[in-house]
Amino acid sequence: MQRKKQCVAMLLAGGQGSRLYALTNTIAKPAVPFGAKYRIIDFPLSNCVNSGIDTVGVLTQYEPLELNEYIGNGQPWDLDRSFGGVHVLSPYQAKKRSSWYEGTANAIYQNMHFMKMYNPEYILILSGDHIYKMDYAAMLKAHIEKGADCTIAALNVPLKEASRFGILNIKEDGTIYQFEEKPKVPKSTLASMGIYIFTASKLFHYLEEDDKNPNSSKDFGKDVLPAMLNAGEKMMSYEFQGYWKDVGTIASLHEANMDLLGETPNFDVSDSKWKIHSRNPLAPPEYIGPNATVQNSMIALGCEINGTIVNSVLSSNVVVEEGAVVKDSVIMSGTVVKAGAEVNYSIIDEDVVVESGAKVGAEKGEGVGIAVLGKGIKVGKNAAVAAGEIVDKDVEGEV
Amino acid sequence: MSAVGVIFSNIHDENVPELSRQRTMGSIPFGGRYRLIDFALSNMVNSGITTVGVITKNNYQSLMDHLGSGKDWDLARKDGGLILLPPYNDEYESLYHNRLEALKGIIGFLNKRTEDYVVLSDCDGICKIDFSDVIAYHEEKQADITLVYHNEKVVKSPYYACLDTDENGRLTDFQINPNIDGIANVYINIMVLNRQYLISIINNAIVHGANSFGRDILAKNVDCLKLYGYELKDYYAGIDSLQTYYAHNLEMLDQQVRNQLFGARDIYTKVKDSAPSKYSETAVVKNSLISDGCVIEGTVENSILFRGVKVEKGAVVKNSIIMQDNVIGKEAQLNAVITDKNVVIRDRRTLSGCAEYPFFIPKGAMV
C-alpha cells in the first residue's frame, strides 16, 4: 500500500525581507525574532501542527543558516516524524538545470518531487512573514465542500490600504471572478493573505504550464492564479476573521510586538488551546531586581532587569542595568542596556551593547521614527542614535 | 574516562514530606522552573555522562511525566541515554528499603554497562559540579570510593553524614547523624567508584547481610578501604526540611548564587512552550524570579513564581514561593507562604507564615 498524506504544506521562507533593513542582514525574514521568545516562522508552523498538518516543506534561499539551525529536526513543533514532518528545501543542482528559486511558483515547482513523495490530494501554500493564528483544517474543509480547485484565504482590510494587497473580487457565494494585484482603484476590500489551498493535481498541472511559459515571472499572484482563473477553474475565497499582520516592515514588526501587550491584547499568544510552539531558550527564570520597574511589558526567561521597562517586549537573556530606561521598544536576546542608558521607541537586535549613558531613539510621538540597531553592534558611552535611524555598525562614544 | 550515572530519585523523600506526598524527591519543584533532579541530571550531562539510570521507588508518575524520553536533557540516545529503573519486586522480596537494596535491584543494569566508573547522586542537593574533575581526583588518589563533601554550618538535623579527612584527603572518620552544631564536612550524597568494584560491594553485602551503605560499608571500613573526600567549594544547597527548602529557594534571588548555579553551563529542564510572562500597567515586581507564562497585575516582592502563575490586581505576594499554575486572587495578601501546584487563593484572603516556619498549602487547594 502506498502511504499518503491528505495535505502537504509548503512554506515559502526564502524572502530577504529587505524592508526590515539591518534586522535581516544575516538572517531570512522568517527567522526574525518576535514576541519575546518566538520567531516569525513559529506561527505558520504552529498553525500547521495545530491544524493537524504534519508534513511541511520549508523553502529557503536567502541566508538560510540560522533558519535551518532553528528548524532543526522539527522536534519543538512535534514535526520530527518518520513519515512526514518538517523538511528544509533549499535550491539544488539537477541533471538538466540548476538555479535559484526564481519566484514563488518556481520555488514550489522545483520541489514537485517532494510533494509527490507524499501522494497528497491537497497542497497548502504558506508564507513565512505573517503573524496570525489560523485553523487551516477549517479552510481545507471549505475547499473540499465547495469542490474548489483553489481556495485563497482573504481578509477585509481598510479601503485606503487595499491598494497594497492582491485584491479578490468575488460573487455572493465566494467564487472569485477577478484577481487584481495591488489595484490603484480597488473594487473590493477583500485582500489575499498569501495562503492558498490547491487541489494537488491542478497545482501540478498549472506549475508545469507556467514553467513552459517564457513570459511568466513565475509568481503565484501574478501568473499562476490569473492563469487558473482565465482557464475557468473554480476559485474560491475563504474569509478569515481574526488577527493577521504582515510584519515585513520595521513599523509593522514593532506594532505587532506591541499588539501582544495590554490586559486584552490584540493578539494573544497564551491561548492554551492554540499553543505557539518554539525552540525554547535554556535559561533560568527572569530576575527582576529590587529597584526595577516593569510595566505593561512582556519579558522572557533569563533576563536580568534592574532598570525601568515600560511598554516593551524583551527576549531571553536581556540585561537592563540600574537606572537604564527602556520604553516602547522591542529588544532581542542577549542585548545589554547599561546603567543610565535610555532606549526609546526602538527595535534592538540580538547581542547589542548599549553603553552607559547612551541614548537610542526618541520618545514615541507624531512623526517620530523607530530607531533600529542591528545585530551585535555597540553603542558607545553617552553616544546617541537618533529617532528613525537604522544602524548596523558600532557607534563610537566617549572613551 | 567513561562513567555511567545513577540517580536515586526517592531516597530522602521523608525530608520534605509536605512536598513529596505525591511525588519523588527528584520531582520536587525548585527555583522557578526546575525540579530537583534537573540539577543532578544536568551535572551529569554537562560532565559528558550520556547514560544515566534513575532509580525510582514509589509515586514516580510525576517524575516520569517530567523526564519523558530524556530529550530535554539530550539523553534520548540509541546507546544509553536516560534509563528509568523502576523498583523490582517479586513474591520473595518487597520494595527496597535502603540504598543497598536499591542497588541490588539494578545490578543487571550495572552489569550490562561497559563504562569504567559509576557516579552515584541523590536529589536532595543543588550544586554545580563537574564529575570529570571528581573522577580525575579519584584516579589520582587511586581511591576505592570518593565521596563529595561540602564544608558548611550545620544545625541539628537527622539527615546527614559528616566526614573528616587527613591532609591527603583520605577519610579518617565517617559519622552518620552526628550531633554536631557548627561547621562540618557534610557528605552531600555524591560518590564515585569503579563499576566492577561497586558490583562486588553489592554482591558481598548481600551475602553478609549488610543493609546500610553508610553504616556497613563506609563507616565500618574507613581504616581498611581507600575512601577519599572531594571538597565541593562552590555553592551547595542541601534540602532536608521545608525550612531549608524555603531558605534555599529564596537564596536564588542572590545574583552570586545564580551565577554559581547557572553561569557558563546550562541547567536543563522539561520544556513546556509557555508564552513569555506579562507584566501589566499595575504590576510592581521587586527582587523576584519570574518564570514563563505568568501574568502579573499585582505586587510581587522577594518571591519566586513558577510557570503560569497569575497574580491579580491588588494582590500582594511577599517572601513566598508560588508553584505552577497558581491563581492569587484580587487583593489577596501572602507572606512567607509556599503554595504547591494548582493552588487558588481567593480574592482578599490573607495568609502568612514566617521565615522559620513558612506556611505550606498543598497541591490543588482552594483557599
Side-chain angles (χ1 to χ4, degrees):
Chain A
M1 195 192 86
Q2 192 180 11
R3 290 205 291 176
K4 59 182 288 171
K5 292 281 181 192
Q6 186 194 27
C7 183
V8 168
M10 299 294 276
L11 207 165
L12 296 157
Q16 179 180 352
S18 53
R19 287 171 303 153
L20 288 177
Y21 305 97
L23 301 178
T24 50
N25 274 352
T26 57
I27 59 172
K29 183 155 67 165
V32 168
F34 173 82
K37 73 173 282 201
Y38 306 101
R39 291 181 189 250
I40 297 171
I41 198 167
D42 287 330
F43 293 86
L45 280 181
S46 298
N47 286 341
C48 279
V49 175
N50 293 339
S51 306
I53 295 170
D54 65 4
T55 308
V56 186
V58 179
L59 297 100
T60 63
Q61 178 154 297
Y62 174 78
E63 288 286 353
L65 177 68
E66 199 161 323
L67 186 60
N68 292 355
E69 180 77 19
Y70 185 70
I71 295 170
N73 68 350
Q75 183 265 321
W77 303 270
D78 206 11
L79 285 172
D80 51 338
R81 306 290 176 98
S82 52
F83 182 64
V86 66
H87 297 263
V88 174
L89 305 168
S90 2
Y92 60 94
Q93 203 168 27
K95 196 155 190 179
K96 284 188 188 150
R97 62 193 280 174
S98 66
S99 64
W100 295 102
Y101 296 150
E102 286 162 43
T104 51
N106 178 257
I108 304 292
Y109 173 77
Q110 287 200 40
N111 288 290
M112 199 99 95
H113 58 298
F114 169 79
M115 294 181 280
K116 285 183 172 168
M117 212 158 68
Y118 298 99
N119 200 21
E121 287 163 61
Y122 307 99
I123 304 290
L124 169 66
I125 308 283
L126 301 168
S127 61
D129 38 16
H130 302 144
I131 301 292
Y132 63 114
K133 293 187 282 191
M134 180 175 178
D135 184 1
Y136 303 138
M139 181 177 169
L140 180 61
K141 190 162 167 262
H143 178 86
I144 296 168
E145 276 172 7
K146 299 267 172 71
D149 299 306
C150 172
T151 300
I152 301 175
L155 88 167
N156 269 304
V157 293
L159 186 62
K160 62 178 170 48
E161 286 179 31
S163 51
R164 282 176 35 215
F165 293 93
I167 294 295
L168 308 180
N169 296 321
I170 61 167
K171 294 182 195 157
E172 239 165 63
D173 67 345
T175 315
I176 301 165
Y177 68 87
Q178 197 184 20
F179 190 82
E180 291 179 292
E181 190 67 22
K182 298 179 183 160
K184 286 213 176 71
V185 188
K187 287 192 209 122
S188 102
T189 54
L190 204 56
S192 164
M193 296 159 66
I195 298 164
Y196 319 119
I197 290 178
F198 291 95
T199 300
S201 56
K202 295 282 181 184
L203 176 68
F204 297 161
H205 171 74
Y206 282 96
L207 286 179
E208 272 157 16
E209 291 297 306
D210 182 62
D211 189 58
K212 287 180 205 149
N213 178 2
N215 301 320
S216 167
S217 58
K218 304 194 166 31
D219 183 83
F220 273 103
K222 290 186 195 121
D223 308 291
V224 177
L225 298 176
M228 284 182 80
L229 199 63
N230 291 338
E233 301 291 356
K234 187 166 186 184
M235 303 187 72
M236 302 295 297
S237 73
Y238 175 83
E239 202 176 322
F240 171 77
Q241 271 153 352
Y243 184 92
W244 179 84
K245 190 145 225 149
D246 182 335
V247 286
T249 63
I250 295 290
S252 63
L253 181 66
H254 188 275
E255 200 176 300
N257 271 289
M258 294 301 128
D259 283 341
L260 301 169
L261 302 178
E263 253 171 73
T264 46
N266 293 337
F267 187 60
D268 182 13
V269 285
S270 63
D271 182 356
S272 60
K273 291 189 194 74
W274 202 267
K275 265 199 176 182
I276 307 302
H277 305 279
S278 67
R279 214 169 263 284
N280 286 263
L282 270 174
E286 65 258 26
Y287 175 73
I288 313 293
N291 301 317
T293 303
V294 181
Q295 280 172 350
N296 192 36
S297 294
M298 194 174 239
I299 301 202
L301 295 172
C303 287
E304 295 265 339
I305 311 296
N306 285 300
T308 299
I309 315 288
V310 182
N311 306 333
S312 295
V313 174
L314 271 56
S315 295
S316 60
N317 300 316
V318 169
V319 177
V320 178
E321 292 185 356
E322 207 144 315
V325 178
V326 175
K327 220 175 142 191
D328 301 307
S329 295
V330 176
I331 301 187
M332 299 175 192
S333 299
T335 285
V336 180
V337 180
K338 296 215 171 153
E342 276 179 43
V343 175
N344 247 310
Y345 200 39
S346 301
I347 299 182
I348 302 185
D349 207 337
E350 295 174 358
D351 303 320
V352 168
V353 178
V354 178
E355 287 288 349
S356 59
K359 283 191 167 45
V360 178
E363 189 96 13
K364 185 179 172 181
E366 195 75 23
V368 175
I370 300 165
V372 177
L373 303 183
K375 193 169 181 167
I377 69 161
K378 191 172 154 184
V379 178
K381 203 172 168 189
N382 296 328
V385 174
E389 217 176 317
I390 293 170
V391 183
D392 57 4
K393 286 189 186 68
D394 288 359
V395 180
E396 303 252 330
E398 291 168 15
V399 184
Chain B
M1 161 228 131
S2 65
V4 56
V6 172
I7 294 177
F8 297 84
S9 70
N10 276 87
I11 286 180
H12 314 293
D13 276 4
E14 68 282 1
N15 288 15
V16 197
E18 296 89 342
L19 291 166
S20 61
R21 190 165 298 145
Q22 294 179 41
R23 50 169 85 88
T24 64
M25 188 76 184
S27 43
I28 288 177
F30 189 88
R33 70 176 302 225
Y34 303 98
R35 305 284 184 134
L36 291 180
I37 198 171
D38 290 337
F39 295 88
L41 272 177
S42 299
N43 279 335
M44 293 197 172
V45 172
N46 288 330
S47 307
I49 296 174
T50 57
T51 301
V52 182
V54 177
I55 300 183
T56 63
K57 186 175 181 185
N58 37 31
N59 302 338
Y60 57 88
Q61 191 204 330
S62 74
L63 185 74
M64 284 177 65
D65 177 50
H66 180 67
L67 297 175
S69 67
K71 67 175 154 52
D72 288 326
W73 294 264
D74 204 14
L75 284 174
R77 305 283 180 108
K78 260 189 172 167
D79 176 29
L82 180 81
I83 297 160
L84 216 56
L85 302 165
Y88 177 82
N89 64 322
D90 56 25
E91 52 191 306
Y92 307 110
E93 312 219 14
S94 56
L95 288 179
Y96 68 82
H97 297 97
N98 54 52
R99 192 183 300 275
L100 261 179
E101 284 181 18
L103 285 168
K104 189 186 142 201
I106 66 156
I107 207 147
F109 166 77
L110 292 171
N111 268 318
K112 241 169 53 188
R113 298 308 311 170
T114 54
E115 290 84 353
D116 298 334
Y117 295 103
V118 185
V119 176
L120 300 175
S121 173
D122 293 356
C123 291
D124 62 329
I126 286 154
C127 64
K128 190 172 72 177
I129 183 167
D130 190 335
F131 293 123
S132 42
D133 292 345
V134 185
I135 292 169
Y137 176 87
H138 179 82
E139 284 178 338
E140 180 204 318
K141 299 286 180 191
Q142 297 186 311
D144 291 322
I145 302 176
T146 297
L147 306 170
V148 182
Y149 68 90
H150 188 248
N151 188 267
E152 61 182 31
K153 189 177 181 318
V154 285
V155 280
K156 278 179 194 165
S157 155
Y159 301 118
Y160 67 90
C162 288
L163 52 87
D164 287 317
T165 64
D166 63 19
E167 64 275 18
N168 291 320
R170 183 162 175 177
L171 258 67
T172 52
D173 198 9
F174 186 84
Q175 302 175 20
I176 295 160
N177 306 342
N179 220 346
I180 302 174
D181 210 340
I183 304 284
N185 292 332
V186 177
Y187 167 52
I188 63 169
N189 297 313
I190 293 173
M191 72 170 93
V192 167
L193 69 174
N194 182 283
R195 184 175 56 86
Q196 295 295 354
Y197 181 61
L198 175 62
I199 293 168
S200 73
I201 287 180
I202 299 165
N203 286 332
N204 200 20
I206 296 167
V207 179
H208 291 98
N211 56 33
S212 163
F213 204 100
R215 278 192 180 79
D216 297 331
I217 292 159
L218 300 176
K220 268 189 192 164
N221 294 310
V222 166
D223 297 328
C224 49
L225 291 180
K226 282 194 276 177
L227 304 181
Y228 277 83
Y230 176 94
E231 187 181 359
L232 172 72
K233 296 209 169 78
D234 281 346
Y235 177 79
Y236 174 76
I239 291 166
D240 58 1
S241 63
L242 195 66
Q243 285 75 19
T244 48
Y245 172 81
Y246 174 76
H248 289 315
N249 258 291
L250 292 186
E251 273 168 21
M252 307 276 282
L253 297 174
D254 181 340
Q255 190 175 20
Q256 283 186 345
V257 170
R258 285 201 307 282
N259 286 347
Q260 288 203 38
L261 276 178
F262 302 111
R265 282 181 166 197
D266 291 321
I267 303 294
Y268 304 92
T269 187
K270 182 181 176 180
V271 157
K272 273 239 171 128
D273 279 352
S274 310
S277 285
K278 275 179 77 170
Y279 300 71
S280 83
E281 299 269 3
T282 50
V284 178
V285 182
K286 308 276 179 201
N287 191 37
S288 295
L289 278 171
I290 314 285
S291 198
D292 47 354
C294 291
V295 177
I296 301 171
E297 295 169 348
T299 300
V300 179
E301 277 179 34
N302 307 325
S303 295
I304 293 178
L305 268 54
F306 283 71
R307 276 182 191 126
V309 172
K310 181 149 200 239
V311 180
E312 296 184 353
K313 276 191 191 126
V316 179
V317 176
K318 284 184 180 172
N319 311 310
S320 294
I321 294 158
I322 311 293
M323 288 188 208
Q324 202 174 317
D325 296 330
N326 273 216
V327 178
I328 313 298
K330 291 186 185 72
E331 288 165 44
Q333 309 242 356
L334 269 62
N335 179 41
V337 172
I338 300 173
T339 63
D340 207 325
K341 283 170 76 173
N342 300 315
V343 167
V344 177
I345 309 288
R346 291 284 182 83
D347 297 355
R348 286 178 287 282
R349 293 288 186 274
T350 300
L351 299 168
S352 186
C354 65
E356 294 76 25
Y357 286 95
F359 187 67
F360 176 76
I361 301 168
K363 195 169 171 177
M366 173 104 67
V367 179

